[in-house]
Amino acid sequence: RPKDAAGLNEWKEHFTNSTLVVSDTLDVTDQYFSTGSPISSSNWSGYIANQISSTNPWVAVQGDFRQPAVTESLSNATMGSWVGLGGHNSDRLVQAGTAISFSSTGSKSYWAWYEFIGVSHSNPAIQFPVAISPGDVIHIYVSFETANNRCDFYVENQTKHTHSEHYVLGEQSTSIYYDGSTAEWIDENAGPGTYPLFPNYGTNTWSSCQAYSKLQTWYALGSVSNNPVLCNIPNLMSSPTSTSLANGATTFTDQWRAH
């Protein structure tokens, strides 16, 4: 959510007709704490939260971080930091975040984006008009509104006091793209290629990691069944510094390990 008054009012107005409960103070419960075994991945690093139950899936997710910097020189490489719904138990995924991209000549750019992916609908990431620089404090929010079959994507640069949002409305945002069985906070080696070099981002500390259930309750990442995700295929390239979260934790740190 925006921190400045004008942005917060606009954010609240935008979600007035949604199924989500918007308040200045989130009411977070901590009844379902459990950290499971690490999950191996070829490109994800971070944490996932598992749904409360099949009848109470996740419908929103949010998280904050300070934009990592990559100082090394690479070509044709991309590293993204994002929150999302789905993508672990199915090929359906709605997500938003930031990215660091290197062109074929080695030029580097930082940018904000959102994306919605389905089994047969591999849409490209769409750039948000939000300027991103290393060290900026970033807030990301993604939701699925069950009342009107709408996916909302929101990225705010709290350092530069700018934000942007977009929504996907109607049938295309439901069974094609949405999967509420998991919520994610991920640093991703976005390619190209099967096992591309993971850009050296150092560390990325995530905070305010919370997910919102269909029955209208916010949960801290550490208050629900969760799993750390290690980018370790074929080698350990990135992973959380701890593979266990304290009950009620909303913060963790991802760390680059190797190319």
Side-chain angles (χ1 to χ4, degrees), residues 70-207:
V70 174
T71 58
E72 63 181 342
S73 297
L74 297 172
S75 62
N76 293 325
T78 298
M79 177 259 180
S81 301
W82 54 268
V83 306
L85 298 171
H88 174 60
N89 296 319
S90 73
D91 292 325
R92 301 187 302 275
L93 173 63
V94 291
Q95 55 183 161
T98 67
I100 311 165
S101 295
F102 294 83
S103 70
S104 59
T105 60
S107 62
K108 179 172 53 180
S109 61
Y110 293 80
W111 50 293
W113 55 274
Y114 67 94
E115 188 174 24
F116 43 100
I117 301 170
V119 176
S120 58
H121 298 76
S122 183
N123 300 301
I126 301 171
Q127 186 167 356
F128 267 132
V130 178
I132 304 294
S133 301
D136 289 349
V137 178
I138 307 300
H139 172 76
I140 313 171
Y141 176 93
V142 174
S143 73
F144 174 71
E145 301 178 23
T146 56
N148 52 18
N149 293 332
R150 185 170 102 168
C151 287
D152 292 277
F153 307 90
Y154 180 93
V155 174
E156 180 192 7
N157 187 324
Q158 296 180 347
T159 301
K160 292 183 170 63
H161 306 291
T162 59
H163 66 274
S164 186
E165 59 188 324
H166 185 78
Y167 63 86
V168 178
L169 180 65
E171 180 181 353
Q172 62 176 337
S173 68
T174 54
S175 60
I176 295 178
Y177 301 119
Y178 167 70
D179 174 5
S181 64
T182 57
E184 296 89 21
W185 300 261
I186 298 294
D187 294 299
E188 178 179 1
N189 186 10
T194 304
Y195 300 120
L197 296 180
F198 205 128
N200 183 354
Y201 65 91
T203 60
N204 186 19
T205 297
W206 287 83
S207 61

Side-chain angles (χ1 to χ4, degrees), residues 45-47 201 228-231 238-243 252-255 257:
S45 175
Y47 267 88
Y201 65 91
V229 183
L230 283 59
C231 183
S238 179
S239 68
T241 56
S242 174
T243 55
F252 72 92
T253 298
D254 250 352
Q255 182 175 3
R257 304 292 183 175

